Amino acid sequence: MIENSNNQVAEELSLREVIEQYSRYWYFFVIGAAVALFVAFLYLRYTPQLYQSQATIIIKDEKSQSPLEMAAFSQFGSFLSRFKNNQIENELAIFNSKRIISEAVKNLQLNIKYEVMGNIKTSEMYGYKPFEVQYQSFVESDSREPIPTLYIEMISDSQFVLEDETRSNKTTHKFGERIPLFFGEITVLPNLDAREKFEAYLNRTILVSYSSVERVALDFQSRVNILNTDAKSNVVELSIQTQNKAKGQDFLNELIQQYNKDAVQDRNEIARKTSEFIESRLQIITRELDSVETNKEDFKSTNRLTDIQAEAQITLENASEFNKRQLDVATQLELSNTMIDYMKTSSANELLPANIGISNENVGTAVNNYNELILYRNKLLQTSTPKNPVVQSVNEQISQMRNNILGSLENSKNALKIAMKDLNVQENIISSKISQVPAKEKIFRGIERQQTIKEQLYLFLLQQREEASIALAATSDRAKIVDSAYGSDQPVSPKKPLIYLGALLAGLLIPFGGIYSFYLLSTKVKSRKDVEKQLKSIPIIGEIPKVQKGDSDLIQHNDRSIMAEAYRILRTNLQYLFINKLEESEKGKTIIVTSTIKGEGKTFVAFNLALTLAITGKKVVLVGADIRNPQLQRYLPEHLKANKGLTEFIVYENLEVSEVITKSEYNENLSIVLSGAIPPNPAELLMQKRTAHFIEALQKEFDYVIMDTAPAMLVTDTIIINKLADITLYVVRAGYTDKRLLEFPQDAINDGRLANVAVILNNVDIQNFGYGNKYGYAYSREERSLLQRIFNR
């Protein structure tokens, strides 16, 4: 239970540290959110708004079948469903084709754009326009340069000022005047139907830009959405987003109209071809029927025949069924010959007549499929060349299908001939039974048979012609409009709530990411927590704040600054380290001040610590034990820097301790021992017995002996004299010391190279400092700016 409680407390502390890590930079989040929201406001202010327009239609199924036929093909339901889906997809492709969209753009003149110039941005004009620019002609050129934008300013109801795209040349013209320009000629006509609206645009600059129909059609083709919402139905939804709602509605309505127009033209073309074919056959059959009737009349007149059938009535009644079969076969044979002759004489690009009465269902289906391929190939040729692989593939299919139709007709023709041959044989048998009938009767019956065949074919073609005429007259639109185009009153893009929400999140995430990256990539010690994580077993007895600009590096007399209080806290914490150590001894306490590398402020800390201890009345001596790179003289006047120091005492055995001690000008209780001359063998020099003798002598005379030593990781000097000290103060500089370097003091303690170590965190930023103004308690009156007071800087 205790372990779980400790884990929970650790997790809470960790979460609180993370929150504090970011909350101390709250002003970055406020500024980031404010800037992001302002940018979002500007974006929404100057970004064109888009409105959604949509329409709903139903594509009629021209190949719908009767209930009996559907029941007969119910077992092929999945196949029919796939065929239906493919049909809808084909129609959607036609809807979204550049050819259909180009017609809609051309009819609505959407390739000519009118915009009124505002103070900051231009707004598109649609619907009412104060004038209309008619592009009368264009100069033929191979450069294909875009036609420049025209700037037109109406100065009255009869005159206007015209500028080119560079706006360097102004010319005044009258409405209706034919104006020659380098790209062609234009005419500007005023729209005076609404006088008040016209006058509202006086002295305002209107931009007129012309684009090719193809380019505008491609733009609309990329933006229009045509979807079959339900695969089980023929319902199609069309939608588009435009800056002007009325423009989108007009475009969708015109697109539907152009689609219906195209579908009607396709169906009328088939009906006209069929009608022309039937009309040509009727003329031939009419002449043949007249010829047969004339032969019958001449035969009866020549042979003076009246009622020949009465003589062979009984025999003919028995052969009536046989004659009927002969007529049917002869009719089909004639139709087959006619169709074969037409296909051999007609071009491969022409449509074939459909539904002319051929009983072979395969031929009728093949003819319909052939006509559909011809129409599909013609549509492809409108938008591509004959060398297009798709067109060539379709041409191969057409050629193959035409050959198949001819083959089917030839096979049907041969079968009919065989059937007719069999019927003729049977006719001879019957003729032998009526041998009593004169030969004239047989000739007469042949003439009548020909007459009946021609009459049936003539009546059939008349019926087909009427049906084709009715189909041509009753052609209806392919797309039934369910809902005409309508648009939303509110813009669909840009979405204000989403933009503001995204901007707010970005404004918060960018500072968050920056702070996170800063802490993630930074390897420097920032605060007390960074040291505690690395050196868990070493106590931190003090935090020294960063010296502000203009402040003194050293503690002054009666100093009430945050830094002075930090050293007082350090002095107090230091006393706890000396508990049970040398309590009854009369010797002074020895303190070593060191660091990992150069520049971490050990000399600064040692000098101020010595001043702080001296203020209490204790006798303190500060020894410059860094004999490789002395820094203590920085805080001494020039005339004292040449004094003898530690190096001279160790080298010259006749030199007394008192000869190297110098009184400090900062405090009467503070004495200083300089490093002295830099020796060639500093490590060996510190190992001499004179070094220990020197420290013992100082301990007898002073209450505190503070030694400013060399960096512990760079040289071995500190390790050598560490055994002579009571406490080792290890200085870590915030914002300078690498966290990875903190592994060295931990390893040195574990190995026994350093003993009795305590850490001092130097140069702590005020916002990471654990005392003083952070909690609203200061020892000096500070003059801070408003921003510093707001941000607690």
Side-chain angles (χ1 to χ4, degrees):
M1 294 295 293
I2 296 177
E3 183 178 355
N4 292 336
S5 177
N6 292 335
N7 292 337
Q8 184 176 1
V9 171
E11 291 178 1
E12 291 178 356
L13 290 175
S14 177
L15 179 60
R16 185 172 63 188
E17 291 174 2
V18 173
I19 294 175
E20 290 177 353
Q21 176 178 301
Y22 292 97
S23 61
R24 69 167 56 106
Y25 300 104
W26 61 270
Y27 46 90
F28 285 138
F29 291 95
V30 173
I31 295 173
V35 171
L37 291 175
F38 179 71
V39 172
F41 170 77
L42 294 179
Y43 173 80
L44 294 173
R45 175 68 178 82
Y46 300 111
T47 299
Q49 296 180 340
L50 298 179
Y51 293 86
Q52 178 87 7
S53 300
Q54 57 187 28
T56 305
I57 62 171
I58 295 178
I59 297 180
K60 300 176 183 177
D61 187 5
E62 292 185 344
K63 298 185 178 182
S64 59
Q65 300 176 348
S66 65
L68 292 177
E69 291 174 321
M70 292 302 295
F73 290 97
S74 60
Q75 57 180 330
F76 303 107
S78 60
F79 171 78
L80 295 176
S81 176
R82 288 195 298 269
F83 176 79
K84 177 181 177 181
N85 293 337
N86 292 335
Q87 182 184 10
I88 293 297
E89 291 176 1
N90 294 338
E91 297 302 323
L92 295 184
I94 296 174
F95 240 123
N96 199 28
S97 64
K98 189 180 72 173
R99 177 175 56 86
I100 298 296
I101 295 178
S102 297
E103 291 297 326
V105 170
K106 188 185 302 182
N107 286 355
L108 294 176
Q109 293 187 347
L110 299 180
N111 59 317
I112 303 176
K113 189 177 182 180
Y114 296 80
E115 296 175 296
V116 58
M117 182 178 293
N119 295 328
I120 298 178
K121 66 176 183 178
T122 59
S123 301
E124 183 180 1
M125 302 172 61
Y126 189 80
Y128 175 79
K129 305 178 187 64
F131 57 82
E132 179 183 356
V133 177
Q134 296 181 351
Y135 290 81
Q136 302 293 346
S137 61
F138 296 96
V139 177
E140 294 184 1
S141 176
D142 296 333
S143 62
R144 295 186 179 181
E145 295 181 357
I147 296 176
T149 301
L150 303 178
Y151 292 79
I152 299 177
E153 179 182 350
M154 301 184 302
I155 56 179
S156 67
D157 59 356
S158 60
Q159 290 184 328
F160 63 92
V161 176
L162 176 64
E163 299 178 74
D164 57 10
E165 196 169 16
T166 61
R167 308 199 69 179
S168 60
N169 184 23
K170 292 185 178 181
T171 55
T172 303
H173 303 275
K174 294 182 179 180
F175 286 111
E177 177 183 350
R178 200 176 182 95
I179 305 172
L181 298 173
F182 74 92
F183 61 84
E185 292 185 345
I186 64 169
T187 301
V188 182
L189 301 177
N191 186 1
L192 301 176
D193 294 339
R195 192 76 184 185
E196 295 181 358
K197 293 183 178 180
F198 180 85
E199 293 177 352
Y201 289 101
L202 288 175
N203 301 319
R204 297 189 65 181
T205 302
I206 297 177
L207 287 69
V208 182
S209 55
Y210 180 91
S211 302
S212 64
V213 174
E214 181 179 3
R215 180 181 301 175
V216 177
L218 291 174
D219 177 60
F220 275 92
Q221 187 181 31
S222 64
R223 292 191 289 122
V224 68
N225 293 320
I226 305 174
L227 299 174
N228 178 214
T229 56
D230 188 357
K232 298 180 181 179
S233 67
N234 292 351
V235 178
V236 175
E237 288 188 357
L238 298 86
S239 62
I240 192 172
Q241 293 183 2
T242 54
Q243 297 183 25
N244 189 284
K245 180 173 65 175
K247 182 177 182 179
Q249 295 174 359
D250 292 346
F251 172 75
L252 292 181
N253 289 330
E254 184 65 25
L255 184 63
I256 296 172
Q257 183 176 351
Q258 291 299 325
Y259 170 79
N260 282 329
K261 181 180 178 181
D262 181 74
V264 168
Q265 289 177 351
D266 284 348
R267 285 178 288 181
N268 287 346
E269 184 177 359
I270 296 176
R272 282 194 298 269
K273 284 290 183 180
T274 304
S275 180
E276 292 173 0
F277 171 77
I278 294 174
E279 190 66 33
S280 63
R281 296 308 303 163
L282 273 174
Q283 294 177 3
I284 297 173
I285 296 301
T286 300
R287 291 194 298 268
E288 291 178 352
L289 183 59
D290 291 340
S291 176
V292 172
E293 290 179 345
T294 301
N295 291 338
K296 179 180 178 181
E297 181 181 357
D298 294 342
F299 180 80
K300 292 181 71 175
S301 301
T302 302
N303 296 280
R304 297 180 181 180
L305 299 176
T306 56
D307 190 6
I308 304 175
Q309 293 181 353
E311 301 176 2
Q313 183 175 358
I314 298 174
T315 305
L316 294 177
E317 286 178 354
N318 295 331
S320 60
E321 184 65 24
F322 167 76
N323 291 334
K324 182 178 180 181
R325 290 171 58 192
Q326 274 189 318
L327 291 174
D328 292 337
V329 173
T331 301
Q332 291 298 318
L333 186 60
E334 182 67 19
L335 290 175
S336 299
N337 288 329
T338 301
M339 190 66 177
I340 292 173
D341 294 339
Y342 178 80
M343 290 188 67
K344 290 182 177 180
T345 56
S346 62
S347 172
N349 297 326
E350 293 184 5
L351 296 170
L352 297 179
N355 300 326
I356 61 173
I358 296 177
S359 60
N360 192 331
E361 295 180 356
N362 294 331
V363 173
T365 302
V367 169
N368 291 333
N369 294 335
Y370 178 87
N371 289 336
E372 289 180 359
L373 277 177
I374 289 292
L375 293 175
Y376 178 66
R377 193 268 313 277
N378 293 340
K379 290 182 180 180
L380 290 177
L381 289 175
Q382 294 178 1
T383 56
S384 60
T385 62
K387 295 182 179 180
N388 190 304
V390 177
V391 175
Q392 293 179 354
S393 176
V394 173
N395 286 333
E396 293 177 359
Q397 295 179 25
I398 291 174
S399 176
Q400 183 178 0
M401 189 172 290
R402 186 178 182 90
N403 294 332
N404 292 339
I405 293 173
L406 277 173
S408 298
L409 288 173
E410 292 290 345
N411 293 336
S412 178
K413 174 182 175 182
N414 293 332
L416 290 172
K417 286 183 177 180
I418 293 173
M420 182 59 74
K421 182 176 180 181
D422 294 338
L423 292 175
N424 290 335
V425 172
Q426 295 180 16
E427 183 183 16
N428 292 332
I429 295 173
I430 295 176
S431 297
S432 64
K433 294 182 181 179
I434 54 173
S435 57
Q436 296 84 3
V437 179
K440 295 178 180 180
E441 178 64 20
K442 289 196 264 186
I443 297 174
F444 184 74
R445 284 189 56 80
I447 295 174
E448 282 190 334
R449 187 184 304 112
Q450 291 295 323
Q451 181 185 11
T452 303
I453 292 172
K454 300 301 181 182
E455 285 178 351
Q456 289 182 354
L457 187 58
Y458 180 78
L459 294 175
F460 175 77
L461 291 175
L462 285 177
Q463 180 181 357
Q464 294 299 315
R465 185 178 66 177
E466 291 301 319
E467 291 179 358
S469 299
I470 293 173
L472 184 62
T475 302
S476 61
D477 292 339
R478 183 71 183 276
K480 179 181 179 181
I481 299 177
V482 178
D483 288 324
S484 297
Y486 62 94
S488 58
D489 295 330
Q490 299 297 327
V492 296
S493 177
K495 298 182 182 296
K496 289 186 178 180
L498 189 61
I499 295 297
Y500 279 122
L501 179 60
L504 180 60
L505 292 177
L508 296 176
L509 287 176
I510 291 176
F512 178 84
I515 297 171
Y516 175 79
S517 300
F518 174 75
Y519 279 103
L520 181 65
L521 299 177
S522 176
T523 59
K524 306 298 182 182
V525 173
K526 291 293 184 298
S527 64
R528 181 189 187 101
K529 297 182 180 62
D530 294 334
V531 180
E532 290 175 343
K533 290 178 181 178
Q534 297 291 331
L535 304 176
K536 299 180 180 179
S537 61
I538 305 176
I540 300 176
I541 64 170
E543 293 182 73
I544 310 302
K546 179 187 293 185
V547 178
Q548 301 297 323
K549 186 177 181 181
D551 293 346
S552 174
D553 289 349
L554 300 179
I555 296 175
Q556 306 299 318
H557 183 67
N558 294 328
D559 197 339
R560 297 176 59 85
S561 66
I562 299 176
M563 186 176 71
E565 182 59 25
Y567 277 101
R568 293 187 185 102
I569 295 173
L570 172 60
R571 180 185 64 195
T572 302
N573 292 339
L574 190 61
Q575 301 303 317
Y576 287 99
L577 296 180
F578 287 108
I579 294 178
N580 300 326
K581 292 183 180 179
L582 305 176
E583 291 182 348
E584 298 180 354
S585 176
E586 295 180 356
K587 293 195 304 181
K589 303 175 179 64
T590 306
I591 302 172
I592 285 181
V593 181
T594 186
S595 63
T596 307
I597 58 175
K598 178 184 176 182
E600 294 181 292
K602 54 184 178 54
T603 304
F604 165 76
V605 172
F607 204 107
N608 281 290
L609 177 60
L611 283 174
T612 305
L613 293 171
I615 290 173
T616 63
K618 301 293 183 178
K619 295 183 64 176
V620 182
V621 61
L622 179 59
V623 180
D626 185 359
I627 60 178
R628 295 175 183 264
N629 185 23
Q631 295 294 325
L632 194 58
Q633 64 270 18
R634 291 188 294 118
Y635 299 100
L636 298 178
E638 289 294 331
H639 67 278
L640 297 178
K641 292 182 179 180
N643 291 355
K644 297 179 180 179
L646 177 61
T647 302
E648 287 80 1
F649 178 83
I650 298 174
V651 173
Y652 302 110
E653 295 183 356
N654 59 347
L655 196 64
E656 298 294 333
V657 174
S658 59
E659 296 181 42
V660 296
I661 298 176
T662 303
K663 282 289 184 180
S664 171
E665 296 180 354
Y666 293 97
N667 192 289
E668 60 181 5
N669 296 322
L670 177 63
S671 299
I672 298 176
V673 177
L674 297 177
S675 302
I678 301 176
N681 55 343
E684 290 76 9
L685 199 63
L686 292 175
M687 294 175 65
Q688 299 296 324
K689 293 181 180 181
R690 292 271 294 175
T691 304
H693 173 69
F694 175 76
I695 295 176
E696 290 174 356
L698 293 179
Q699 289 175 342
K700 293 177 181 179
E701 185 177 351
F702 294 93
D703 296 318
Y704 289 96
V705 178
I706 301 176
M707 304 181 68
D708 177 25
T709 63
M713 190 179 77
L714 301 180
V715 294
T716 187
D717 299 3
T718 302
I719 306 298
I720 294 173
I721 62 175
N722 175 254
K723 60 184 177 180
L724 302 175
D726 299 316
I727 299 295
T728 299
L729 298 183
Y730 203 96
V731 178
V732 176
R733 183 176 179 178
Y736 183 83
T737 305
D738 196 306
K739 295 177 184 178
R740 294 168 291 185
L741 296 179
L742 297 180
E743 296 177 359
F744 172 78
Q746 187 66 58
D747 294 340
I749 294 173
N750 296 337
D751 297 341
R753 289 176 290 165
L754 293 177
N756 301 323
V757 179
V759 175
I760 297 176
L761 183 58
N762 182 32
N763 199 48
V764 181
D765 194 88
I766 192 65
Q767 62 183 349
N768 294 324
F769 189 59
Y771 311 100
N773 285 358
K774 182 176 181 182
Y775 296 99
Y777 187 76
Y779 292 89
S780 61
R781 184 178 183 85
E782 299 182 28
E783 297 296 333
R784 299 189 298 166
S785 66
L786 177 61
L787 288 178
Q788 287 176 328
R789 291 197 296 271
I790 292 175
F791 297 146
N792 195 24
R793 300 290 290 179

